[in-house]
Each structure stands twice: as C-alpha cells, then as structure tokens.
Amino acid sequence: MSDTVETAARTAPAAVIVGIDGPSGTGKSSTSKAVAAKLGLRYLDTGAQYRAITWWMLSNGIDVNDAAAVAEAAGKPEIVSGTDPSAPTITVDGADAAGPIRTQEVTSAVSAVSAVPEIRTRLTELQRAIAAEAPAGIVVEGRDIGTTVLPDADLKIFLTASAEARAARRSGELKGKEATDLAATQAALVKRDAADSGRKTSPLAKAGDAVEVDTTELTLDQVIECVVTLIEERRSA
Ligand SMILES: Nc1ncnc2c1ncn2[C@@H]1O[C@H](COP(=O)(O)OP(=O)(O)OP(=O)(O)O)[C@@H](O)[C@H]1O
Ligand SMILES: Nc1ccn([C@H]2C[C@H](O)[C@@H](COP(=O)(O)O)O2)c(=O)n1
C-alpha cells in the first residue's frame, strides 16, 4: 500500500449506519435526506418501497385486502431505489414510480399490503442489501429499521410529534384546503399509525436502544442539527 492510500484508509471515517423510525409526519424523510446530504451518506426511504409494491398490486388488479393474493405476488415486481439524498428515486419494473406512489389510493392501501409477512421479508432483504453496499454509510428511514431491518445500526433515532403538529405539517403541504380538512388529515394519520403499530410482523415501534426526539416544538433545522450531533458523537466515541 502506498503512503497516501494508507493514510487515507487510516483517516477515512468508518461507514456509519443510521436508522430513523417514527409515525407518519414526524419528519423522517425531511430529516434523513438533509442529514445524509450534509454528511455524505446515502439515503433510503423504505416507506417509498412499501408504497411502490402497493402501487404495483393496485395496478395489477390484486385485492390488497386479500393477504394470500398479496403474499403470492410479493416476489413479482422489481423495486429499485436510488439512494442519492439530493435526488432519491424509485422504480417498479423500470417505470418511475415517484409520482404514483404518493396518491391517496396508495396511501389508503399501503398499511394492508405492508402487514403481509411475505412483503416484509422481501423488502427487508432488499433494504439490508442496499445498506450493506453504502460505502460511507447510509440513513435508512421507516417504521421497523431499528427493531428489525438494521438491529445493529450505529445510531437509532425514533422521531415523534403530536398528532396536531403532524396534521398541521401535512396540511401545509396542501395549501388552500379548508379547516375541516385538518381534522380529516389528523384522523387519517392516526388511523394509519394504529394499523402500522398494530400489525403482527415488525410493527411500528421504538427500539429499546433508540434515542427518542420529540419534534413537536422543534423546527426542521433544529431536528437536523440534533441528529447530525448525535451521529458525530457516535463517530467520535
Ligand atoms: N420539525 C418540523 N417542523 C415543521 N415542519 C416539519 C418538521 N419536520 C418535518 N416537517 C414538515 O412536515 C411534513 C412531513 O415531513 P416528512 O415527510 O419528512 O415526514 P415523515 O415522517 O417522513 O412522514 P411519512 O412517514 O408520512 O412519510 C413535510 O412537509 C415537512 O417539511
Ligand atoms: N419500514 C417501513 C416503512 C414503511 N412502512 C409502511 C407503513 C406506512 O404507513 C407506509 C408508507 O410509509 P411512509 O411513506 O408514510 O413513510 O409504509 C412499513 O411498514 N415499514
């Protein structure tokens, strides 16, 4: 090994694996993307993968409430995630799925599809493979990253926020909506959280060794700063 290569190997920080979990609208995606971009890490949105497979089921006429039919089709679509935090991508069988996976139809169906064990096994394997290939490390966000997908992650974060704050954030994304929509948005968030927390296989849950960050009263910049500080502390420990 040349001196230069040897010095670089000694000084380059080891790959860092970060898992960020939490209920819907707590800021997982915004925080994870920004933290990964700041620290030169890859970024994986596992919710986008569950949405993508749900979109494929709906597009192929599979009844998402028929767990046996969903399980039988679980291995069929090819899901590919691009992990550049400044331009994350998701394709299904080669087609760009970034737009279609955000429709109300997919949002309403995704909890049923993601409760099917065969779906979880398939995507958990994919997520572990992506994390293992990230040279400098990766920020992976979802619902079961700390408990199931990456139980040996260097840092686990569990983001929370009040249902009111999360609904207000989501409504802010949909400018021009009436006040009554805020209540409907909150009810939909709470319903999806209950389904995600209540399923048998790898439910939404805080890992025992995760750091909980309540973002209700924090700006997004404050949450990003907090997570960056926690990662730097782990790296220097
Ligand atoms: N601390 C914060 N303060 C104010 N707004 C925030 C904060 N964190 C995130 N947001 C905003 O809240 C909305 C939801 O954030 P984001 O999509 O990151 O949440 P999420 O936890 O990934 O949600 P989901 O699980 O539904 O994908 C976005 O519009 C984002 O800009
Ligand atoms: N690790 C994960 C990530 C997501 N899901 C399911 C449950 C969510 O309601 C849905 C969509 O996720 P979002 O885009 O809102 O982050 O996907 C899961 O079960 N496990």
Side-chain angles (χ1 to χ4, degrees), residues 205-220:
K206 176 179 174 291
D209 53 351
V211 179
E212 183 166 334
V213 180
D214 183 345
T215 71
T216 308
E217 303 291 339
L218 301 179
T219 65
L220 178 56

Side-chain angles (χ1 to χ4, degrees), residues 81-107:
S81 297
T83 60
D84 176 349
S86 59
T89 57
I90 180 112
T91 62
V92 181
D93 293 337
D96 181 5
I101 63 169
R102 302 291 163 193
T103 60
Q104 194 48 52
E105 191 190 14
V106 170
T107 301

Side-chain angles (χ1 to χ4, degrees), residues 28-29 33 43-56 79-82 88-92 96-102 106 110 114 123 126-127 140-143 145 192:
K28 299 181 299 297
S29 300
K33 260 187 278 191
Y43 159 70
L44 179 62
D45 177 356
T46 63
Q49 296 177 321
Y50 283 97
R51 286 173 179 273
I53 211 160
T54 301
W55 176 56
W56 184 92
I79 312 283
V80 177
S81 297
T89 57
I90 180 112
T91 62
V92 181
D96 181 5
I101 63 169
R102 302 291 163 193
V106 170
V110 66
S114 56
L123 291 185
L126 180 61
Q127 292 152 12
V140 182
E141 55 122 332
R143 303 291 192 289
I145 310 305
R192 188 146 63 94

Side-chain angles (χ1 to χ4, degrees), residues 1-11:
M1 205 186 273
S2 76
D3 277 357
T4 320
V5 173
E6 208 173 335
T7 308
R10 266 204 311 270
T11 53

Side-chain angles (χ1 to χ4, degrees), residues 126-211:
L126 180 61
Q127 292 152 12
R128 287 178 179 155
I130 293 170
E133 282 165 14
I138 191 165
V139 182
V140 182
E141 55 122 332
R143 303 291 192 289
D144 62 337
I145 310 305
T147 55
T148 306
V149 178
L150 301 168
D152 298 326
D154 299 294
L155 176 65
K156 301 176 187 177
I157 307 274
F158 194 80
L159 295 184
T160 63
S162 70
E164 290 76 11
R166 294 188 286 129
R169 291 173 187 174
R170 281 274 175 247
S171 296
E173 292 171 350
L174 312 165
K175 291 199 174 60
K177 289 264 174 178
E178 307 265 326
T180 47
D181 287 330
L182 191 61
T185 301
Q186 186 171 325
L189 283 175
V190 169
K191 187 176 170 203
R192 188 146 63 94
D193 290 347
D196 294 340
S197 308
R199 67 172 173 245
K200 278 197 182 136
T201 311
S202 59
L204 159 65
K206 176 179 174 291
D209 53 351
V211 179

Side-chain angles (χ1 to χ4, degrees), residues 12-33:
V16 65
I17 305 287
V18 180
I20 301 191
D21 291 303
S24 181
T26 50
K28 299 181 299 297
S29 300
S30 325
T31 305
S32 302
K33 260 187 278 191

